[in-house]
Amino acid sequence: MGSFVGIFITVAALLGGFAAMGGHLAVLMQPWEFVIIIGTAVGTFIVANPWKTVVDSGVACMQAITNAVPGQRYYLDLLGALHALMRELRGKGRNEVEAHIDDPSNSEIFKAFPSVLGDPSLLQFICDYVRLIIMGNARTHEIEALMDEEIHTIVKGKLAPYHALVTVSEAMPALGIVAAVLGVIKAMGALDQSPKLLGGFIGAALVGTFAGIFLSYGIISPFAIKIKMMREKKCRPYIIVKQTLLAFMNGAMPQIAVEHGRKMISSSERPSIDVVENETIAGPKAVVADAEPKAARA
């Protein structure tokens, strides 16, 4: 909703100010100028980026419009799942813990935290590093370096739509000039026409320059920034997992390790320590307690 409100204010201020100055809004209605600019931008965008990035850019735009970022419930599920896994690591054998990470979709722990189970990329990230902890051969600083490299790669991939849209935004003014030049060429071919008709052609050409600059700085660039902010928030869970597991590997109790992760959540979405304790202490115990009878019956 915020995106639509912002765009509405921008367009209303632009057109309202132009009309208030005595401008005729009909002059700005030059559809073929917009076809040239937008069509060329879309074409060059597809040429410059892999198809995966093109598709992901569409997904990122929808996520930015709907503000699809992790909320407090998501973070509580993540911390709860990590706490439950760390309790299992401390109290159970290797084979019992491996059952959870080898088949997370059938794990009673992950089933109790649907937000984590519904994020395949993050789920794989958790399982990979819990498996390394179980193996027990890697040192903490080695795991940290590996996590940093993987998170860097993940962030780079997540931000690919942002960089692609920024490139398009930077090109839009030039594409507007291209459309304007084509309009001038058309006007030059009509020099023998009446001044009124010639003036209309020149005005249409200048609309191309206006449209390129406005679309760049007024629409695409702000939208790209919103995508960047949204995607950075979607990468935050990986950092939470990293800090939590590293604290656990350094000897912290599960509840203390979870607190390391909680501190990585931005203040606006960060749940209080009391809420986290209620979720991680009461919830995981119930999960493990339920899982044991089921395993016994099987």
Side-chain angles (χ1 to χ4, degrees):
M1 181 62 69
S3 299
F4 291 113
V5 171
I7 292 174
F8 175 79
I9 293 174
T10 301
V11 174
L14 178 76
L15 299 180
F18 179 70
M21 291 189 300
H24 299 286
L25 295 180
V27 176
L28 300 179
M29 301 298 106
Q30 304 295 335
W32 294 114
E33 293 286 328
F34 288 93
V35 167
I36 292 171
I37 297 168
I38 297 175
T40 306
V42 171
T44 54
F45 176 77
I46 294 174
V47 170
N49 297 284
W51 186 247
K52 181 179 179 181
T53 301
V54 174
V55 174
D56 193 31
S57 296
V59 173
C61 289
M62 292 304 299
Q63 290 174 341
I65 291 173
T66 59
N67 196 34
V69 296
Q72 190 174 108
R73 180 68 263 167
Y74 182 96
Y75 290 125
L76 287 171
D77 277 3
L78 176 57
L79 294 175
L82 292 172
H83 185 270
L85 284 172
M86 290 184 293
R87 284 177 57 86
E88 292 284 286
L89 287 168
R90 288 179 63 88
K92 299 293 181 64
R94 173 174 175 173
N95 291 336
E96 292 176 277
V97 179
E98 281 185 337
H100 293 293
I101 62 176
D102 288 341
D103 189 12
S105 61
N106 291 319
S107 165
E108 294 300 326
I109 288 178
F110 288 113
K111 284 181 180 179
F113 304 103
S115 297
V116 178
L117 191 60
D119 190 338
S121 177
L122 181 65
L123 185 63
Q124 188 63 51
F125 184 84
I126 294 171
C127 292
D128 286 346
Y129 288 101
V130 170
R131 183 175 287 107
L132 288 176
I133 294 174
I134 293 173
M135 293 170 63
N137 296 324
R139 297 180 178 88
T140 304
H141 69 273
E142 294 174 340
I143 297 293
E144 182 176 9
L146 185 59
M147 283 182 167
D148 286 337
E149 287 299 321
E150 184 170 358
I151 291 173
H152 175 74
T153 302
I154 291 170
V155 171
K156 184 177 180 180
K158 292 284 188 183
L159 293 183
Y162 160 72
H163 293 295
L165 288 175
V166 166
T167 301
V168 172
S169 174
E170 293 172 347
M172 288 299 282
L175 295 177
I177 293 174
V178 170
V181 169
L182 291 176
V184 170
I185 292 173
K186 177 184 176 182
M188 292 299 99
L191 287 177
D192 58 338
Q193 301 296 319
S194 66
K196 181 178 180 180
L197 183 62
L198 186 60
F201 289 156
I202 295 174
L206 292 176
V207 168
T209 304
F210 148 75
I213 296 173
F214 172 70
L215 290 173
S216 172
Y217 297 107
I219 302 295
I220 299 178
S221 182
F223 208 73
I225 292 173
K226 183 163 186 178
I227 288 176
K228 180 185 178 185
M229 295 171 62
M230 180 268 302
R231 283 296 174 92
E232 286 176 343
K233 287 185 177 181
K234 293 181 79 68
C235 292
R236 178 59 50 178
Y238 295 91
I239 299 174
I240 295 169
V241 173
K242 168 194 164 185
Q243 294 302 123
T244 302
L245 293 182
L246 288 177
F248 179 73
M249 291 182 69
N250 284 323
M253 297 288 288
Q255 195 62 38
I256 302 301
V258 164
E259 182 63 14
H260 282 248
R262 189 183 74 89
K263 291 297 185 181
M264 295 298 103
I265 304 173
S266 62
S267 58
S268 58
E269 289 95 17
R270 183 190 304 157
S272 69
I273 188 170
D274 292 333
V275 173
V276 172
E277 285 183 353
N278 291 334
E279 289 280 333
T280 57
I281 293 177
K285 284 183 178 178
V287 170
V288 175
D290 290 342
E292 289 175 347
K294 289 180 181 178
R297 290 194 297 270

